[in-house]
Amino acid sequence: MKNEKIEQVANQLKKDQKKIDHLRDLENLKVKYLGKKGLITELNSEIKNVSNENKKEFGMAVNELRNSFHQFYEEKKNFFEEAILSEKLAQDAIDISLPAVCVSAGAPNILEKLIEEVEEVFLSMGYDVVDGPEIEQDKYNFEMLNIPKGHPARDAQDTFYIEGEEILLRSQTSPVQVRTMLEGKGEVPIRMICPGKTYRRDDDDATHSHQFMQIEGLLVDKNISLSDLKGTIDVVVKRLFGNDVETRFRPSYYQFTEPSVEVDISCFNCKGKGCSICKKTGWITIAGAGIVHPNVLRMSGYDPEKWSGFAFGFGAERMAMLKYDISDLRVFYHTDLREAKIFDREEGLS
Amino acid sequence: MISLEWVKDYIDIRDQDLEELAVKVTQAGINVEKVISNEIKNLIIGQVLSCVDHPDSDHLHVCSVDVGEGKILQIVCGAPNVREGLKVIVALPGAILPGNIEIKKSKIRGVESNGMLCALFELGLEEKNDLNYAKGICELDDSTTIGGDPLTELGFGDTLYELDVHKHRNNDCYYHIGFAYEIAAILNRKVHLPDTSYQEIKDSITNHFQLKVETDKCPYYLAKMVTDVQIGESPNFIKRRLTAADMRPINNVVDISNYVMLEFGQPLHFFDKDKLGDQIVVRDAIEKEQIVTLDGKMRQLRSSDIVITDSSKPVCIAGVMGGENTEVSEDTHTILIESAIFDAVRIRYTAANLELKSEASIRYGKGLSYEYTKMAMDRACHLLEKYAHAKVLTGIVCHDKIDKKPKIVSFVPEEVNKILGITIDEEDMKTELARLDFSYTLKDGVFEVSIPNRRLDIDPNVNDIAEEIGRLYGYHNLVSTLPVVPLRRGKYVGDVAYRKALSKRMRLLRLNEVKTYTLVSPELASQFQYRNRKNVILPNPMSSDKSIVRTTLLPSLLQVYQYNKARKVEDILLYEISKTYDQTYHEESLISGLLYGNYLTDGWNKSLKVDFYVAKGIVEDIFNYMGFANRYHFQVLNDSSFHPGMSAKVFLDHEEVGVVGRIHPKICKDEVYVFELSLNSLMKKTTQLKFKEANKYPGMEKDMAFIVSRDTLAGEIISTIQKTGGKILDHVSVFDVYTGENVPIDKKSIAFKLYFSDPKKTLTEEEVMKIFYQIVDRVEKNYHAVLRDK
């Protein structure tokens, strides 16, 4: 048996529901049906007019109607609240294409970037990174490196003297090697590199500078050969210039090494075919090196009968110019931030 | 420059491809920079079949020339000596002559010409001068072959090596015999020395000449006399070889002295004996002594120079240049030949002082081998006898104090192998030493090697032997191995470690690293002398803008700032870590920074502009990073380089370690902030890093604001608050500084936030307020402050 009153309210509700299109209407609807004098509320008072046998059924029908109203109300309310939030968020929208706050870190000096990469390779092979004074004594800069006073090798390193022929701005970082050996007192093996500033009387231009950086290194131990030097340099250049780069030694001459070699690498740019970087030769000279001269070992307290070693020297500017394709070395000392900024990044992590 | 055609006199290399040989020479350590061939393509020997006058010229001839293989060419020629039957050098169309002159088919005054008949000077084989011009075209010997290569048949074909040799080998590799030895070692062949024989006449040099050497800087001096010399033109081969070596042929006598020098590396000096008198004294020069040298210039000598004198006056600056007064001339009849060795260092100094670089001084400066001193003199006598009709007097006059002790090295092959990382045995070693022309004895496996004197570069030790063996073995043949040493990771030692750590930190704080010059101008050096460190001034600077060793990095940073500002860079944040030196050579590493513009910005909306407090914040971060929290403070700085109201001295453990502040507007009108700290002072013991647990008990926050006079420093009030607050005052911060309405004009209001806490219990309001009022009381008394009402 259908109760007419309930049917009536249910039908009325169906019609009213269709008209709701705002949260406010929904709230009014709630009052209209579930308020104190709401249509559904009032159905409850109708129950007294229902016969006893139908009372239960009537009650259930009213409850059902109330529940369906609640369900409708919650759904509709959620819908309207979502819509309001969306509208508000839409209003908050910003132009995500506008520039960000620049929070980037500062950049290393380009030369220093190169030097740090070289240092990392050598640190990993057990070399300490050492430095020494830039105002040096003649005896460390020349004499103990087998370059006595009056030796023609001094002419090539046109030196800034400060006090007679005794005090000078170091013309090479080799005196740091001498000092390290003296500290070793002829007793401990040595593995060190000494990147640092050096000074020579050169006019500054695209490829010369009165101040420049050398990365020299020294290994003193037992039974060290020229082949060991080649292998060591090979590790370094492969790390810096790529795994397919080859190392080649050519005979050369330095006072403090014997035998001495010049180190070439196969051109990383043209892979040996010949290009402007390697001047069409397929090879690029990258360092000077050799077996430490017995006189140098002896003067620094290492007995050449027991000890041997190798030494090498890279020009930091030249390496950086090659690696980063820079044609004028003054770039390193002017620091144009527009150029320098990009060097704050990693390279070749894999 | 080495002429390979010349080298062939001493070693057989006819089978060699000279380009390939150059590669071998380079691999063995003598760098051949350039291989230059004087070959000219499309030159051919021809014979003039007929020669008639040009119909439209008074000096041109029209010739028909047989160039072999039945080819007859019509060529117009203007030379006076062209005639029928003459064998000539024909440049065919396509030939490119020196001066980039290309020969083409052409019409000369209406007559077709298919080439050119050449004079030697047109081929670059003779000097271009009036005399050679007048000779006309080159007349070839009748025995030459039509269709052949004229340069080869004339013996003119040559290949030159331009060398770039390391200093140690630039004595023996710059003369032809020395270079021949190098090739001999590479190819394993023998060197044949040139003929040094001559006849001597009865008359002896001792009848005419006496020698005194009064300086120890001339260990070896030989003299020989020749007479009846006939001055004339040199033979072709001498002229050509000198020309190839860039020396101008002069006459047979002068040319011979140069020729022998290029052969043996030994400079000779020829005196006109008749002008010289009968005595030579070699001595140190007298200060300000004068001589007119061969180039006609008056030279003033110093006591460090060596001079050759007759008994009274200088006649030659030893090893550098002869005097005009005893010069060989057209009329010279008798010559005194000097072949000597002088101290290399002295000669270099003299040449440098006089700014007189001569062929002789260059060679003497590099050092000479005594091995060739006599041989070169004999060779000169041989050539003078042969090409200048000279008669050689008997005997020599000689001063011989030179050390002729041979350089000996003893070693076993294993020592060499160890140095090079190769394996060669006793037999290989014998072969290698023989190639090098090193004599040796072998006893019980030990080699005793005697090094020839011409190899001045070799010191008697096994490393030098290894170098010789190694370069011939070929360094490109070495394998790569790694030293057998213990595994470990290296470390940054001493101040390098500090530099690296701080450098990393500066970059994290957004500062960009710069590298600037140690040497600065006096103007730059005078800026920022806030510590009065006295500068090192170079006694002989290259220029005044690089004459002073800096004691501060700030002027250099300011330069980098200006460089970037001029290039429209807006935000400039820089740092540099570098060593500086004062007059006592005391070394101090500095870490310095410069800040300008925005520290942080998006460029269109918000930014944090650089000001004093940003700069100060960076300085504080350095200290905190190094583990020096609570050990530093700042004091007002009064220095003419800094803004008087915006700069501070920085103290660490009560020691002054640097400055921070704005640059004085009279130095830079932009708002630029800098800091500079002594890294030496930062290299202090730091405390161990340990975890500190946060307080679990709730704390209590209290605010207090004071009105104080404007010049009161907030930092001082803070330290008073801290001292008075004692243990339960966790921290204090400033949250407002105010001047303006409600605050008297000469006063300011500073508001502090105090946070109280106790790690062991919850504090009571009573406990806190007791301390609070003690603080207020203390601040009011110390600073004439007035507590503001809330």
Side-chain angles (χ1 to χ4, degrees):
Chain A
M1 185 219 80
K2 288 274 176 186
N3 186 289
E4 252 176 61
K5 281 263 171 171
I6 294 174
E7 285 286 301
Q8 220 177 326
V9 171
N11 286 338
Q12 177 74 37
L13 179 57
K14 258 179 206 157
K15 275 187 214 157
D16 284 350
Q17 279 175 343
K18 282 182 186 151
K19 293 181 201 153
I20 303 298
D21 48 34
H22 200 278
L23 188 60
R24 199 171 51 236
D25 300 340
L26 186 66
E27 292 302 334
N28 289 341
L29 191 73
K30 192 178 178 184
V31 173
K32 182 176 174 183
Y33 284 87
L34 293 179
K36 253 184 188 168
K37 293 196 170 163
L39 294 175
I40 294 172
T41 318
E42 286 194 338
L43 282 177
N44 282 334
S45 55
E46 284 292 322
I47 201 158
K48 60 182 183 284
N49 302 327
V50 177
S51 65
N52 275 347
E53 68 212 66
N54 290 333
K55 265 195 171 87
K56 188 182 177 190
E57 199 182 334
F58 183 88
M60 280 170 67
V62 171
N63 261 344
E64 199 182 312
L65 185 61
R66 180 185 286 117
N67 285 343
S68 83
F69 182 89
H70 274 300
Q71 197 186 341
F72 168 77
Y73 173 82
E74 286 304 323
E75 277 171 15
K76 212 58 182 171
K77 191 183 174 203
N78 273 343
F79 171 79
F80 286 130
E81 279 175 354
E82 281 287 322
I84 288 164
L85 182 62
S86 297
E87 195 181 329
K88 187 183 176 313
L89 293 184
Q91 276 164 8
D92 288 347
I94 56 165
D95 178 354
I96 53 92
S97 69
L98 277 168
V101 175
C102 175
V103 294
S104 62
N109 172 268
I110 305 174
L111 262 188
E112 208 62 40
K113 169 97 178 163
L114 184 278
I115 288 170
E116 281 168 16
E117 292 211 23
V118 176
E119 284 171 350
E120 183 44 46
V121 194
F122 280 108
L123 285 168
S124 74
M125 291 195 287
Y127 289 72
D128 290 338
V129 179
V130 189
D131 197 7
E134 290 169 20
I135 291 189
E136 254 302 358
Q137 298 176 43
D138 185 82
K139 82 176 164 179
Y140 297 124
N141 194 74
F142 286 125
E143 280 175 42
M144 295 185 74
L145 289 160
N146 210 22
I147 312 175
K149 289 204 169 70
H151 195 281
R154 290 186 175 217
D155 304 347
Q157 301 187 6
D158 207 344
T159 307
F160 286 107
Y161 283 99
I162 291 174
E163 214 181 289
E165 274 194 69
E166 296 308 323
I167 308 285
L168 44 82
L169 281 170
R170 68 177 177 195
S171 58
Q172 47 192 356
T173 50
S174 320
V176 187
Q177 306 183 3
V178 172
R179 287 170 175 273
T180 306
M181 281 192 278
L182 289 174
E183 267 175 41
K185 296 187 189 308
E187 287 161 4
V188 292
I190 292 171
R191 253 181 282 174
M192 59 84 86
I193 59 168
C194 45
K197 291 177 191 162
T198 47
Y199 306 88
R200 289 182 199 176
R201 301 172 69 94
D202 252 331
D203 285 318
D204 297 349
D205 61 27
T207 53
H208 296 85
S209 181
H210 73 283
Q211 176 181 322
F212 57 102
M213 301 280 293
Q214 280 190 335
I215 310 174
E216 288 195 320
L218 171 73
L219 182 146
V220 178
D221 214 300
K222 306 277 165 75
N223 298 325
I224 300 303
S225 74
L226 205 57
S227 296
D228 294 336
L229 172 64
K230 192 171 182 180
T232 301
I233 299 226
D234 208 41
V235 170
V236 179
V237 298
K238 281 191 160 62
R239 165 77 197 191
L240 287 174
F241 295 103
N243 269 327
D244 50 353
V245 163
E246 305 270 338
T247 309
R248 177 178 84 172
F249 278 4
R250 274 184 298 120
S252 186
Y253 181 79
Y254 305 102
Q255 277 298 115
F256 29 89
T257 49
E258 185 86 35
S260 304
V261 295
E262 229 158 316
V263 182
D264 293 344
I265 56 169
S266 60
C267 182
F268 49 84
N269 184 49
C270 64
K271 312 286 174 213
K273 285 190 205 93
C275 67
S276 62
I277 292 181
C278 59
K279 292 185 187 129
K280 307 231 186 280
T281 63
W283 295 92
I284 300 168
T285 304
I286 195 110
I291 295 292
V292 183
H293 198 291
N295 291 353
V296 173
L297 285 176
R298 201 175 292 117
M299 280 189 273
S300 294
Y302 279 78
D303 179 358
E305 300 287 324
K306 291 184 196 149
W307 298 90
S308 59
F310 58 67
F312 51 84
F314 297 90
E317 280 84 353
R318 177 163 168 76
M319 289 237 271
M321 288 167 87
L322 287 169
K323 186 163 164 58
Y324 304 125
D325 194 14
I326 294 168
S327 58
D328 188 333
L329 68 68
R330 286 167 291 198
V331 159
F332 305 125
Y333 295 98
H334 286 156
T335 315
D336 186 328
L337 288 175
R338 297 169 303 171
E339 296 166 344
K341 268 303 209 183
I342 59 159
F343 282 83
D344 171 37
R345 53 158 278 202
E346 285 293 344
E347 183 194 30
L349 279 177
S350 56
Chain B
M1 199 75 87
I2 292 287
S3 155
L4 274 294
E5 182 272 329
W6 193 342
V7 169
K8 280 176 190 161
D9 284 6
Y10 318 119
I11 181 170
D12 187 358
I13 47 168
R14 281 173 301 186
D15 59 336
Q16 293 293 308
D17 176 315
L18 297 181
E19 290 277 352
E20 278 171 26
L21 181 62
V23 173
K24 286 182 197 163
V25 170
T26 300
Q27 279 175 351
I30 306 299
N31 200 13
V32 179
E33 282 267 286
K34 238 195 214 164
V35 179
I36 305 160
S37 169
N38 71 350
E39 186 192 341
I40 300 172
K41 288 206 174 106
N42 294 317
L43 285 189
I44 198 162
I45 297 173
Q47 186 166 32
V48 181
L49 297 179
S50 68
C51 177
V52 296
D53 291 344
H54 190 289
D56 196 20
S57 161
D58 59 353
H59 71 281
L60 293 175
H61 311 272
V62 181
C63 312
S64 67
V65 184
D66 178 4
V67 293
E69 292 178 357
K71 259 176 113 179
I72 313 280
L73 297 176
Q74 175 172 294
I75 296 172
V76 176
C77 177
N81 60 332
V82 65
R83 59 188 182 271
E84 200 178 302
L86 188 66
K87 285 198 173 164
V88 290
I89 301 172
V90 183
L92 299 172
I96 295 168
L97 305 188
N100 216 15
I101 298 160
E102 193 184 340
I103 304 303
K104 293 175 192 158
K105 274 189 184 180
S106 63
K107 277 191 173 173
I108 298 173
R109 297 209 190 163
V111 177
E112 194 178 290
S113 181
N114 296 303
M116 177 175 139
L117 308 185
C118 305
L120 284 181
F121 70 84
E122 286 167 323
L123 303 176
L125 302 172
E126 257 184 12
E127 223 186 329
K128 245 181 211 177
N129 59 28
D130 290 350
L131 191 74
N132 286 333
Y133 237 98
K135 281 200 304 200
I137 57 170
C138 175
E139 303 190 6
L140 294 179
D141 197 85
D142 215 28
S143 62
T144 50
T145 335
I146 294 169
D149 175 19
L151 294 188
T152 313
E153 298 230 5
L154 280 168
F156 273 117
D158 196 1
T159 298
L160 302 172
Y161 286 174
E162 195 178 310
L163 304 181
D164 176 23
V165 179
H166 284 282
K167 274 218 154 62
H168 71 308
R169 292 299 299 281
N170 68 7
N171 39 49
D172 70 305
C173 280
Y174 275 124
Y175 55 89
H176 286 80
I177 290 174
F179 193 76
Y181 273 111
E182 179 67 14
I183 293 179
I186 292 165
L187 300 177
N188 199 8
R189 291 183 187 177
K190 284 275 164 265
V191 168
H192 308 283
L193 292 173
D195 192 351
T196 53
S197 64
Y198 49 84
Q199 296 285 317
E200 286 182 337
I201 57 171
K202 269 194 189 143
D203 194 3
S204 167
I205 182 171
T206 48
N207 297 335
H208 303 272
F209 181 72
Q210 273 191 318
L211 171 69
K212 267 193 213 158
V213 176
E214 295 174 346
T215 172
D216 60 348
K217 300 298 177 193
C218 171
Y220 203 27
Y221 195 104
L222 304 177
K224 189 96 186 150
M225 241 172 97
V226 299
T227 188
D228 287 346
V229 171
Q230 288 178 25
I231 306 278
E233 209 178 325
S234 286
N236 270 332
F237 77 96
I238 289 185
K239 282 197 285 185
R240 193 170 43 73
R241 286 173 173 183
L242 291 183
T243 309
D246 270 341
M247 294 185 92
R248 201 163 55 87
I250 294 167
N251 60 45
N252 53 354
V253 170
V254 175
D255 291 355
I256 283 169
S257 84
N258 286 330
Y259 185 86
V260 172
M261 177 174 74
L262 294 174
E263 264 189 320
F264 287 93
Q266 169 72 54
L268 302 175
H269 188 68
F270 290 179
F271 295 97
D272 185 327
K273 174 70 177 67
D274 298 324
K275 297 177 193 161
L276 179 68
D278 54 8
Q279 191 179 22
I280 271 188
V281 179
V282 184
R283 60 165 166 81
D284 294 331
I286 299 162
E287 198 70 29
K288 292 190 178 158
E289 199 166 10
Q290 290 182 332
I291 176 172
V292 177
T293 42
L294 286 176
D295 53 6
K297 287 188 183 143
M298 170 71 81
R299 310 281 178 176
Q300 186 160 306
L301 304 179
R302 313 208 304 196
S303 57
S304 56
D305 304 328
I306 312 165
V307 282
I308 318 294
T309 65
D310 61 11
S311 47
S312 57
K313 60 181 185 302
V315 293
C316 178
I317 307 172
V320 179
M321 193 175 270
E324 208 177 48
N325 49 15
T326 51
E327 187 180 2
V328 171
S329 68
E330 295 292 318
D331 316 318
T332 296
H333 180 260
T334 302
I335 294 171
L336 185 88
I337 304 170
E338 164 200 289
S339 185
I341 291 182
F342 304 105
D343 184 76
V345 177
R346 281 284 194 96
I347 301 296
R348 279 209 307 279
Y349 281 147
T350 298
N353 284 338
L354 294 174
E355 291 176 3
L356 184 53
K357 238 187 180 183
S358 64
E359 295 288 343
S361 73
I362 290 168
R363 286 169 174 83
Y364 275 115
K366 291 167 186 168
L368 289 180
S369 158
Y370 68 81
E371 215 172 319
Y372 296 136
T373 312
K374 171 143 194 323
M375 215 185 285
M377 189 173 69
D378 289 340
R379 174 70 171 160
C381 292
H382 169 85
L383 293 172
L384 286 167
E385 182 183 69
K386 198 163 170 184
Y387 298 109
H389 307 286
K391 294 195 173 65
V392 184
L393 274 71
T394 298
I396 56 173
V397 166
C398 155
H399 165 85
D400 184 359
K401 291 272 159 65
I402 197 146
D403 178 11
K404 291 191 183 131
K405 202 169 72 205
K407 291 185 277 189
I408 306 283
V409 195
S410 299
F411 62 93
V412 294
E414 182 51 24
E415 291 177 70
V416 170
N417 288 337
K418 263 191 183 173
I419 291 170
L420 296 173
I422 59 172
T423 46
I424 62 171
D425 61 17
E426 206 173 276
E427 283 311 307
D428 297 334
M429 186 61 77
K430 284 185 193 166
T431 317
E432 296 298 316
L433 293 172
R435 292 166 80 122
L436 286 160
D437 199 37
F438 290 2
S439 56
Y440 62 87
T441 59
L442 176 59
K443 207 176 158 193
D444 303 331
V446 179
F447 283 86
E448 194 164 276
V449 171
S450 170
I451 296 155
N453 187 259
R454 77 187 138 79
R455 291 299 304 275
L456 294 168
D457 59 300
I458 298 183
D459 289 329
N461 63 57
V462 67
N463 289 57
D464 281 57
I465 298 294
E467 174 161 54
E468 289 301 303
I469 304 291
R471 68 189 188 89
L472 293 179
Y473 175 86
Y475 288 145
H476 53 285
N477 294 322
L478 288 184
V479 292
S480 287
T481 55
L482 283 173
V484 180
V485 288
L487 279 178
R488 63 163 186 163
R489 188 178 162 83
K491 58 184 186 302
Y492 289 117
V493 176
D495 58 337
V496 187
Y498 284 83
R499 232 162 51 211
K500 292 288 164 184
L502 284 172
S503 198
K504 232 187 227 172
R505 190 66 175 184
M506 287 295 100
R507 292 176 204 164
L508 281 180
L509 293 174
R510 315 205 63 239
L511 274 58
N512 298 287
E513 185 180 21
V514 304
K515 205 173 261 306
T516 55
Y517 296 134
T518 300
L519 295 177
V520 296
S521 66
E523 295 74 45
L524 238 46
S526 66
Q527 283 177 1
F528 300 102
Q529 281 296 0
Y530 60 95
R531 283 166 63 199
N532 270 324
R533 291 172 81 203
K534 293 263 182 301
N535 291 93
V536 170
I537 300 167
L538 294 187
N540 298 303
M542 296 173 67
S543 61
S544 92
D545 68 324
K546 296 182 196 86
S547 60
I548 293 179
V549 181
R550 65 183 173 181
T551 53
T552 162
L553 315 182
L554 296 179
S556 312
L557 286 181
L558 195 56
Q559 276 196 320
V560 177
Y561 156 76
Q562 281 153 351
Y563 186 90
N564 280 281
K565 183 89 194 301
R567 283 156 184 77
K568 305 277 182 249
V569 180
E570 286 174 351
D571 304 323
I572 302 172
L573 309 173
L574 311 171
Y575 80 94
E576 179 167 12
I577 303 175
S578 195
K579 292 177 173 181
T580 60
Y581 295 86
D582 67 13
Q583 220 169 35
T584 64
Y585 312 132
H586 171 71
E587 176 179 294
E588 187 170 77
S589 290
L590 298 176
I591 172 166
S592 311
L594 179 146
L595 310 162
Y596 168 78
N598 289 310
Y599 183 69
L600 275 174
T601 184
D602 57 16
W604 55 278
N605 179 24
K606 59 184 168 298
S607 47
L608 171 60
K609 204 169 160 294
V610 166
D611 64 8
F612 177 82
Y613 302 107
V614 171
K616 184 181 173 190
I618 288 170
V619 171
E620 290 193 348
D621 183 78
I622 292 173
F623 289 132
N624 296 339
Y625 175 66
M626 300 291 283
F628 304 146
N630 303 322
R631 283 163 61 178
Y632 54 84
H633 70 278
F634 298 82
Q635 276 179 18
V636 172
L637 167 70
N638 275 309
D639 182 88
S640 59
S641 304
F642 293 92
H643 189 302
M646 292 189 188
S647 55
K649 290 188 268 196
V650 184
F651 291 82
L652 174 65
D653 294 341
H654 302 287
E655 178 198 352
E656 193 176 331
V657 297
V659 291
V660 54
R662 183 176 160 183
I663 295 179
H664 199 290
K666 74 175 195 264
I667 295 178
C668 177
K669 44 181 206 309
D670 297 328
E671 217 177 308
V672 175
Y673 293 86
V674 292
F675 64 86
E676 185 158 78
L677 304 175
S678 158
L679 203 56
N680 294 28
S681 322
L682 298 188
M683 292 197 278
K684 294 191 172 198
K685 203 168 159 54
T686 176
T687 49
Q688 193 86 46
L689 186 56
K690 269 188 189 140
F691 177 71
K692 190 181 165 213
E693 199 178 33
N695 195 347
K696 286 188 180 113
Y697 295 94
M700 213 177 283
E701 211 170 76
K702 296 285 173 196
D703 293 350
M704 56 175 74
F706 296 100
I707 292 180
V708 292
S709 73
R710 278 209 181 191
D711 56 2
T712 306
L713 296 178
E716 289 178 11
I717 301 179
I718 288 173
S719 57
T720 303
I721 292 174
Q722 279 169 334
K723 260 182 226 153
T724 320
K727 270 186 187 165
I728 66 161
L729 177 62
D730 189 88
H731 64 263
V732 52
S733 56
V734 174
F735 71 92
D736 188 41
V737 178
Y738 176 78
T739 55
E741 220 178 319
N742 301 328
V743 175
I745 193 92
D746 57 340
K747 306 267 180 186
K748 63 183 173 188
S749 159
I750 311 175
F752 301 91
K753 194 176 285 300
L754 284 66
Y755 187 78
F756 296 93
S757 72
D758 187 321
K760 290 190 182 110
K761 61 180 200 300
T762 307
L763 290 170
T764 63
E765 176 78 13
E766 206 181 13
E767 280 175 283
V768 171
M769 287 316 285
K770 192 181 149 201
I771 300 288
F772 183 91
Y773 285 115
Q774 280 174 9
I775 292 171
V776 170
D777 192 46
R778 175 68 51 199
V779 171
E780 284 187 330
K781 272 191 187 139
N782 282 10
Y783 303 100
H784 303 290
V786 177
L787 184 71
R788 283 185 95 190
D789 297 329
K790 281 266 169 72

